[in-house]
Amino acid sequence: MEKKMRIMTERPLNAETPIPSLRSWITANAVFFDRNQSEIPSDKISLEEWRLGIDGEVEQPIEITFDQILRMPKAIVSNTLECSGNGRSLLAEKASGNPWTIGGVGNAVFGGVWLKDILDMAQPGRKTKHVAFEGLDKPLGSAGVKFIRSIPFEKAMSSSLLVYEMNGEPLPLKHGYPLRALALGWTGANCVKWLQRITLLDRPYEGFFMDKVYRVYQKGDAPESGNVVTALKLKSIITQPLPDETLPAGPVTILGAAYGGEDGIGAVDVSVDGGRNWKPAEFIGPHEPFAWRQWQFVWHVVKEGAYRIMARATDGKGRQQPMNAFWNVLGYGNNGVQEHAINVQIGSSGASAAF
Ligand SMILES: Nc1nc2c(c(=O)[nH]1)N[C@H]1C(S)=C(S)[C@@H](COP(=O)(O)O)O[C@H]1N2
Ligand SMILES: [Mo]
């Protein structure tokens, strides 16, 4: 089976995971999607010289060595990471940005330390509201803006990690070696790679990557007026069959993955008739907070023809995935059931639709 990344841009490197590689609970590092605003740093980073600085609204600014981090209590957490713009190319109305289909997402087991344990070492001050992360990557383009992002102090202290391991390997260079931030259940943009400095602030960080992008806004509105993209939105993707595949009649195992960031997944329902009738899918594989759930639905198809398959997720609180995406200028958070439907052909192509 073809398992090559679909490269959207080479410089910076933006590439999506091939659909067959999304059929596993763990997404292998070699095919885990790549999303970069800047140049990936050189692999010459020396762990001896590397330091993580923590400053800003703290009682005690500190510099931590990599060795100190390795000696701290360890956290191992599985987390589904998705780019805010994943699914953008499937929107009915065009939105600007990388043309992701469904492969701007992956699930990995990360090893590292709780961010709280690191921040506590610097003794956060009372005024702290946000935590800003800065990476080693050098900006591309004339604007020369560094990728700096901040998350609320509460999120940083409750459910965020600094990770140095991914799926049992040292964090690969492309994914932020030697250390990256991971705001569990939040989109990739909140998870700064090649981390070198953390600054505690009394307000959100102000800068291009906070104010102009990763904001949900409509045409004619100022980007700053929109909400910042945070948690993953409830969604289900279909990973088997592939879109527009032709299959013989007989049993077809429909596979997919459903994820909902912080609220988990309660159920997935499948329709093979364009949304008229729905039947529950069955979950397969591990079930962990912050990680997607793989599901399957065995479809016994006897009649040749064209079919439209849809999947709809329900979260742990009973809320359902919307039938249609909420459109916005930068095409973030496409979680529409309709947008993620696929068409397949059963039997010889050319046979007409059964409905
Ligand atoms: N330093 C740095 N961190 C970054 C980025 C970046 O360009 N520079 N891109 C962000 C975005 S938009 C996403 S979706 C994720 C992608 O992580 P991955 O390439 O490991 O899949 O990293 C985030 N962290
Ligand atoms: Mo992203």
Side-chain angles (χ1 to χ4, degrees):
M1 193 159 289
E2 184 74 3
K3 283 199 176 179
K4 271 216 190 87
M5 305 284 288
R6 185 174 77 89
I7 296 173
M8 296 178 290
T9 61
E10 297 265 6
R11 198 161 174 264
L13 177 64
N14 288 303
E16 73 176 337
T17 303
I19 295 176
S21 300
L22 299 170
R23 295 173 191 159
S24 176
W25 190 69
I26 283 182
T27 314
N29 292 350
V31 289
F32 203 95
F33 81 91
D34 299 298
R35 171 70 183 109
N36 297 291
Q37 295 281 5
S38 335
E39 193 93 74
I40 294 173
S42 101
D43 58 2
K44 302 272 164 8
I45 302 166
S46 142
L47 289 186
E48 283 70 44
E49 283 160 39
W50 181 94
R51 294 286 182 281
L52 173 66
I54 301 171
D55 57 20
E57 298 284 342
V58 293
E59 299 294 329
Q60 185 62 59
I62 51 170
E63 280 208 330
I64 307 179
T65 65
F66 198 73
D67 186 56
Q68 273 178 289
I69 290 176
L70 292 181
R71 288 161 178 250
M72 290 175 63
K74 187 171 182 177
I76 299 180
V77 180
S78 51
N79 182 66
T80 297
L81 190 73
E82 184 182 38
C83 182
S84 314
N86 191 29
R88 179 185 285 124
S89 76
L90 307 175
L91 289 164
E93 189 186 338
K94 225 179 134 43
S96 49
N98 282 308
W100 300 102
T101 64
I102 62 169
V105 66
N107 187 60
V109 177
F110 292 94
V113 294
W114 289 101
L115 177 56
K116 179 185 189 299
D117 291 345
I118 295 268
L119 297 183
D120 279 345
M121 291 165 68
Q123 302 168 43
R126 282 170 201 280
K127 286 194 279 183
T128 308
K129 291 272 181 344
H130 258 244
V131 179
F133 303 91
E134 183 179 341
L136 286 164
D137 48 335
K138 298 226 167 49
L140 276 173
S142 51
V145 194
K146 283 209 76 169
F147 187 82
I148 301 177
R149 298 269 309 163
S150 72
I151 61 172
F153 185 51
E154 215 260 297
K155 177 66 184 172
M157 295 296 274
S158 65
S159 48
S160 296
L161 301 178
L162 299 184
V163 299
Y164 50 77
E165 256 175 33
M166 183 172 177
N167 292 331
E169 291 173 1
L171 189 65
L173 181 67
K174 289 193 303 180
H175 300 298
Y177 176 89
L179 193 73
R180 89 177 291 175
L182 199 65
L184 299 170
W186 285 24
T187 68
N190 297 289
C191 306
V192 173
K193 303 190 272 189
W194 312 290
L195 192 60
Q196 61 169 341
R197 181 195 304 272
I198 298 178
T199 304
L200 278 62
L201 303 168
D202 64 359
R203 72 191 81 168
Y205 179 78
E206 285 162 29
F208 180 83
F209 291 106
M210 285 299 286
D211 304 328
K212 302 292 184 203
V213 288
Y214 309 114
R215 296 268 185 171
V216 176
Y217 63 97
Q218 299 301 311
K219 280 180 189 151
D221 290 346
E224 295 88 324
S225 69
N227 286 329
V228 175
V229 175
T230 57
L232 299 194
K233 293 176 84 180
L234 178 63
K235 168 171 177 181
S236 189
I237 54 173
I238 297 165
T239 57
Q240 180 181 289
L242 294 172
D244 305 313
E245 206 172 324
T246 299
L247 299 155
V252 174
T253 297
I254 300 173
L255 294 177
Y259 45 97
E262 294 175 308
D263 295 325
I265 295 297
V268 173
D269 294 287
V270 172
S271 170
V272 293
D273 58 6
R276 261 170 241 156
N277 296 287
W278 295 88
K279 284 192 186 137
E282 172 200 349
F283 290 119
I284 41 176
H287 182 198
E288 290 288 326
F290 305 111
W292 63 19
R293 296 195 78 178
Q294 295 282 325
W295 55 263
Q296 65 182 337
F297 177 82
V298 183
W299 176 31
H300 294 278
V301 51
V302 284
K303 205 168 167 192
E304 294 195 348
Y307 291 86
R308 188 162 175 79
I309 306 174
M310 291 178 180
R312 182 175 64 189
T314 303
D315 74 11
K317 294 179 174 160
R319 283 180 299 228
Q320 269 191 350
Q321 181 185 344
M323 286 307 288
N324 292 100
F326 175 76
W327 192 88
N328 56 94
V329 173
L330 297 177
Y332 294 134
N334 176 9
N335 67 340
V337 170
Q338 295 276 10
E339 285 82 351
H340 289 84
I342 64 162
N343 298 313
V344 296
Q345 180 69 39
I346 299 295
S348 55
S349 63
S352 67
F355 49 85

